[in-house]
């Protein structure tokens, strides 16, 4: 509900009303939208959802604001060191969950009218997809890198789902904004497009079921048709494997964390070496595995995707390190 | 003569947005030709993550790497972005 006085609403959304009705503005206000991830994409998505007039915004994230976040996120200097969800809560009054989305925390998405993708990895997107297809919740896939981005509406039973497009986890780490770079204006641009699409879905407007691809290096837009896959394990057969699988984290007798992915990943160790070299880390490449230091933590990545982390203080920290290097 | 369109990072690797290619029967031959032309970096982008569309249709929905390429076909190669 819009909680302000009627005349304030009239005034505040005066520039919306030539385009949408007051009833439509109120409909938007009543919807519950959940944003998964509060990094570059997620922080701007939450920001633009609030500007659109969505009152019930939930954001899930388990990271803290860092100085490197400032150019491309909605955070400011005074937010450094705060949990991202707390910073957004102060700015926007959202409901924040300092959590990582995993098969054990999916209930955070319960009751959503729409889920927005603010994540930075394929695994979490597959999780969102399984949950949303299973529970028939529309969601919007958004991905960005360097000068590029793509946005795709996923409407269960109507459009292709994420797994129609990416049927399994990539066997090697996907390029990330940390390794490939990202210009500051890409995330807010993608988030704005995604919120525009969100508004259309919330108002039951007709949407084009295509993936939007943008290239701000060449100032070019394309729409790409992503057909529904007849034999899709997720949307055709209802096999929601990602909701069942969990990254396993154990501790060995010396206190090192051993992180095992849900399925064998066939990691290309030489590619990890290149990334480490670019990051200026010291490493030893032994072909089947690579050993390196990340600050005070000693890390070994095996070609199966298994990772041993010595010096991490908690399971959460170990999982964060795993996600940073393995993309899921 | 097929038209090959590149998206996202493939534009930086190839230095092109599109080009025409002759004398390839299917996607496998086309990919081999492009890997020979653009090298390891192109191959790495393709492996695992790039979507290949023929006339807008994902080859996973046709005959995968055996999908035939006819004259006038448009092949789009698209690595979905994973960052956020």
């Amino acid at each position: 509900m819009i909680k302000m006085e009627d005349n304030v609403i009239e005034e505040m959304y005066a520039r919306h009303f030539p385009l949408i009705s007051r009833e439509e503005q109120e409909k938007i206000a009543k919807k519950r939208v959940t944003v998964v991830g509060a990094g570059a994409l997620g922080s701007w998505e939450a920001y633009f959802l609030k500007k659109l007039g969505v009152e019930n915004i939930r954001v899930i994230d388990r990271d803290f604001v860092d100085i490197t976040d400032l150019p491309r996120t909605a955070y400011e200097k005074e937010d450094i060191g705060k949990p991202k969800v707390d910073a957004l809560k102060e700015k926007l009054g959202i409901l924040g969950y300092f959590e990582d989305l995993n098969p054990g925390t999916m209930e955070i998405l319960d009751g959503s009218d729409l889920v927005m993708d603010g994540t930075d990895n394929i695994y979490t997107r597959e999780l969102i997809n399984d949950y949303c297809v299973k529970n028939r919740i529309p969601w919007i896939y958004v991905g960005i890198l360097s000068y590029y981005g793509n946005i795709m509406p996923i409407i269960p039973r109507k459009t292709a789902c994420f797994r129609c497009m990416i049927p399994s986890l990539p066997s090697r780490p996907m390029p990330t904004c940390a390794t490939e770079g990202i210009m500051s204006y890409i995330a807010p641009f993608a988030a704005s497009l995604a919120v525009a699409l969100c508004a259309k879905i919330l108002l039951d407007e007709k949407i084009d079921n295509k993936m939007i691809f943008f290239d701000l290096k060449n100032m070019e837009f394309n729409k790409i048709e992503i057909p529904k896959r007849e034999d899709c394990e997720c949307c055709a057969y209802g096999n929601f494997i990602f909701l069942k699988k969990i990254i396993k984290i154990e501790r060995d007798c010396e206190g090192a964390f051993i992180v095992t992915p849900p399925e064998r990943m066939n990691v290309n160790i030489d590619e990890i070496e290149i990334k480490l070299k670019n990051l200026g880390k010291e490493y030893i490449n032994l072909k089947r595995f690579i050993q390196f230091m990340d600050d005070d933590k000693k890390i070994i990545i095996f070609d199966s995707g298994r990772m041993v982390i010595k010096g991490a203080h908690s399971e959460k920290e170990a999982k964060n390190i795993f996600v940073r290097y393995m993309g899921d | 003569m097929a038209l090959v369109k590149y998206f996202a990072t493939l534009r930086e690797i190839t230095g092109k947005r599109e080009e025409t290619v002759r004398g390839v029967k299917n996607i496998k031959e086309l990919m081999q030709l492009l890997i020979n032309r653009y090298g390891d970096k192109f191959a790495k982008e393709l492996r695992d993550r790039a979507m290949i569309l023929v006339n807008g249709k994902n080859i996973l929905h046709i005959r995968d790497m055996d999908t035939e390429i006819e004259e006038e076909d448009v092949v789009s190669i698209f690595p979905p972005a994973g960052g956020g």
Side-chain angles (χ1 to χ4, degrees):
Chain A
M1 289 290 286
I2 295 178
K3 297 183 188 86
M4 286 175 283
E5 296 296 324
D6 283 2
N7 58 341
V8 177
I9 297 163
E10 290 292 344
E11 212 177 331
M12 188 166 155
Y13 289 101
R15 303 293 185 274
H16 271 189
F17 292 144
L19 309 169
I20 61 170
S21 68
R22 191 194 163 88
E23 290 68 36
E24 285 175 317
Q25 187 65 53
E26 283 181 359
K27 190 174 177 182
I28 285 171
K30 287 177 193 163
K31 296 288 184 183
R32 177 182 283 183
V33 179
T34 307
V35 181
V36 182
L41 275 178
S43 64
W44 287 115
E45 285 166 0
Y47 190 88
F48 293 138
L49 284 168
K50 183 73 182 183
K51 295 284 179 195
L52 177 68
V54 178
E55 286 289 308
N56 195 342
I57 305 168
R58 289 184 288 186
V59 182
I60 311 160
D61 192 278
R62 212 197 49 197
D63 198 8
F64 297 87
V65 179
D66 182 80
I67 191 164
T68 62
D69 292 327
L70 300 191
R72 65 188 196 287
T73 62
Y75 306 112
E76 302 293 342
K77 258 187 194 159
E78 61 268 22
D79 298 319
I80 292 173
K82 290 179 194 166
K84 289 176 175 172
V85 286
D86 287 356
L88 286 180
K89 194 175 173 182
E90 285 170 20
K91 287 180 203 305
L92 309 172
I94 55 100
L95 188 57
Y97 294 84
F98 188 65
E99 284 282 355
D100 188 26
L101 196 70
N102 63 55
T105 59
M106 298 305 288
E107 73 276 6
I108 294 172
L109 303 187
D110 285 352
S112 303
D113 292 297
L114 188 140
V115 175
M116 299 283 281
D117 177 3
T119 69
D120 60 1
N121 65 82
I122 299 298
Y123 172 70
T124 311
R125 291 184 174 107
E126 295 283 13
L127 264 181
I128 297 170
N129 187 64
D130 271 13
Y131 181 88
C132 287
V133 170
K134 187 179 178 189
N135 295 288
R136 295 187 205 170
I137 300 170
W139 76 280
I140 300 174
Y141 156 52
V142 193
I144 50 173
L145 196 70
S146 65
Y147 292 95
Y148 314 107
N150 33 249
I151 292 127
M152 175 182 167
I154 295 172
I155 316 290
R157 300 196 158 198
K158 287 187 182 162
T159 67
C161 81
F162 191 72
R163 218 149 13 119
C164 289
M165 185 170 70
I166 303 183
S168 61
L169 290 179
S171 61
R172 66 188 186 94
M174 296 273 283
T176 67
C177 297
T179 59
E180 308 297 311
I182 178 94
M183 291 308 291
S184 62
Y185 43 77
I186 298 296
F189 186 81
S192 181
L193 284 178
V195 170
L197 192 54
C198 167
K200 284 175 164 293
I201 296 170
L202 295 181
L203 294 176
D204 302 314
E205 286 180 24
K206 197 174 180 306
I207 54 156
D208 194 355
N209 295 340
K210 289 179 178 171
M211 181 190 277
I212 300 164
F213 166 79
F214 70 80
D215 169 350
L216 294 195
K217 192 169 189 187
N218 298 294
M219 293 295 170
E220 198 181 293
F221 287 80
N222 292 88
K223 282 187 182 177
I224 300 168
E225 191 165 353
I226 307 290
K228 217 167 153 45
R229 202 172 164 158
E230 299 296 318
D231 59 350
C232 175
E233 283 287 329
C234 177
C235 68
Y237 297 138
N239 188 5
F240 304 113
I241 49 167
F242 289 92
L243 296 179
K244 295 173 195 153
K245 289 181 174 179
I246 309 177
I247 293 172
K248 201 165 92 187
I249 304 179
E250 303 157 292
R251 288 194 92 163
D252 71 8
C253 53
E254 291 175 358
F257 287 92
I258 301 163
V259 188
T260 313
E263 56 191 39
R264 193 186 158 81
M265 288 175 80
N266 296 320
V267 175
N268 185 331
I269 297 294
D270 293 335
E271 283 174 12
I272 300 267
E273 175 179 342
I274 293 166
K275 285 196 194 308
L276 292 172
K277 199 182 276 178
N278 290 341
L279 292 168
K281 308 266 185 204
E282 286 184 21
Y283 57 86
I284 308 168
N285 182 352
L286 293 163
K287 298 302 168 196
R288 292 286 310 279
F289 61 91
I290 189 161
Q291 187 177 307
F292 62 99
M293 294 298 292
D294 182 322
D295 294 330
D296 55 344
K297 290 157 202 82
K298 188 172 173 185
I299 300 174
I300 305 169
I301 299 177
F302 292 88
D303 59 2
S304 62
R306 203 156 176 246
M307 187 184 275
V308 177
I309 305 160
K310 289 181 187 170
H313 301 291
S314 64
E315 278 195 14
K316 281 189 175 179
E317 189 184 6
K319 197 176 171 196
N320 268 342
I321 293 169
F322 181 87
V323 167
R324 196 185 316 147
Y325 286 97
M326 310 301 281
D328 53 89
Chain B
M1 191 172 69
L3 179 67
V4 184
K5 290 185 169 184
Y6 303 108
F7 291 91
T9 41
L10 291 175
R11 291 180 172 176
E12 282 164 39
I13 294 168
T14 60
K16 292 173 186 152
R17 274 186 270 179
E18 59 181 52
E19 67 182 314
T20 50
V21 171
R22 292 168 196 276
V24 288
K25 288 203 295 283
N26 55 34
I27 292 290
K28 198 189 287 174
E29 286 185 16
L30 173 66
M31 291 306 125
Q32 201 49 59
L33 183 142
L34 297 177
I35 288 167
N36 290 344
R37 192 173 288 175
Y38 299 112
D40 278 357
K41 223 173 165 192
F42 187 90
K44 278 178 189 166
E45 282 291 312
L46 273 188
R47 200 193 313 146
D48 297 328
R49 73 185 203 101
M51 277 195 304
I52 304 170
L53 313 171
V54 175
N55 302 326
K57 205 163 181 198
N58 196 326
I59 59 163
L60 291 172
H61 305 231
I62 319 174
R63 294 184 59 214
D64 208 354
M65 295 303 270
D66 294 325
T67 302
E68 287 166 9
I69 301 174
E70 310 281 345
E71 287 279 308
E72 313 280 311
D73 276 351
V74 177
V75 181
S76 306
I77 313 177
F78 176 85

